[in-house]
Amino acid sequence: NMGAEGMDVQQQILHALEKNGVVISNEFAVSEKETHQKVINVKQIALKTWECTDEGNNLATSGSHEARLFNSLPPEGRSLTDIKASFPNSNFALGAAMKNKWLKKEGEKVIPAVSAIEDEVQIHLKAIAAGGENSVPDKIKAEYKKRKLIKEVDMTVFEVSKGSAFTTSVMKQEAELTKEMIESGQWKGKTFKPFNFKSKGRIEQRSGYLHPLMQLRSEFRQIFLEMGFTEMPTNNYVESAFWNFDALFQPQQHPARDAHDTFYVAEPGKTISVPEDYLQKVKKTHSSGGYGSIGYQYDWSREEAHKNLLRTHTTAVSARMLYKLAQEGFQPVKFFSIDRVFRNETLDATHLAEFNQIEGVVADYSLSIKNLMGLIKGFFEKIGITKLRFKPAYNPYTEPSMEIFSYHEGLKKWVEVGNSGMFRPEMLRPMGIPEKVTVAAWGLSLERPAMIMYGINNIRELVGPRVKMELILDNPLCTIDKWTPTGNNS
Ligand code: PHE
């Protein structure tokens, strides 16, 4: 396809000729769709016309026999016997010349009767040879035909007339209808290229690639959705210390709350509000306890709780969601989140000041640590990890707490793949979560499996300004079942 719609008909025909060597007008019109018809209309007409025979052509160039005879005679004439002996077609020539009164007989001699002649036969035949047959009367043509000077022939002609889109200038066809054309009304005067559905698509379609991390995130998201989990809204990087720490029963003097570990926000430095009745319960639980606990026995500070920070874990989101759930009337739930968190880390090959956390939370009546272990087993099985071990650990907000280890066949050792636990009553009860309800939760980082799956040893090759576009564009699709954990998460 030449994209012929942009050319005028003349050009189109030339292109078709170059390509095919021959152009049949009706086939041409079909192949070029209606373009041909729109620009010019061609009508075929069958005509009859006249043409000189060889003899006719001869007379047209050399003159009629009678004229030639007349021109050959000297003024005193010649004898009839002499003429008949030497002049070709003398009988015919003599008869015609006499009839025209060009010659007359004087005894034995033939002499000119006029001083000059006009050879009408030659004039007629010349006209017919040149296509000017209309100037020759039909009666004469009939006579010439009888004399085999001319013959009738069939002729095909084409009547060419303007089509509806006829133009003498080659107009550029528009490829796109723009907003401006519509607004100005210019579109009315434009012609538009028809869509070319035969054209091939671009081979390289360099757009719409997911960054490896985002690709893996969507796979984890899929796993949670398959397990019947609902995604929590994680669209707030800035969080108050209250939801990030206090609501999670993390004491205000805990080292993780130190500025060496947590990024505090300077402006706005304080959160706008925290539900007051809930804040009072949190304050009491921290300072003097409740729900079978003596608390931490310290002066809880509202100031400290109102500080804004960049959330250090997605468990802050889980706390907000559990509080909301209790307010709306508790229902068993399965929640998950995958999003970014921030920590004031010393940067190295495996640590950045920000990373993504994957978190699962299940709240139901009478869940036990056995249920938590079952949930974690089911989740990790989905990513191809079957050998799991749990190691007792400590989190301020879970009891019991367990680090999750997986046996790495390649490294021949157990490596940490996540953290987990049952949320403490000191966290759940002030929220209003019913007493028989227990909440199991676990978390892991997104970057670590991503680095392993994509064979990246330095986190800076995966995240940040040094990431090469090729990483995103050229990486083969890695799927989660290829992941075998290595190294250390923390
Ligand atoms: N929030 C923990 C972390 O930052 C992970 C975790 C989530 C632990 C849920 C227990 C329960 O690593």
Side-chain angles (χ1 to χ4, degrees), residues 312-315 343 355 357-361 395 397-398 419-423 441-444:
T312 64
H313 53 183
T314 45
T315 315
R343 288 181 194 177
F355 63 101
Q357 278 192 331
I358 305 167
E359 186 154 320
V361 178
N395 295 309
Y397 39 90
T398 53
N419 188 4
S420 69
M422 305 294 296
F423 284 138
W442 73 99
L444 59 149

Side-chain angles (χ1 to χ4, degrees), residues 32 61 90 138 156 168 217 322 362 458:
E32 302 302 326
T61 36
S90 55
D138 288 347
T156 306
T168 52
R217 179 173 73 168
L322 287 169
V362 179
N458 193 325

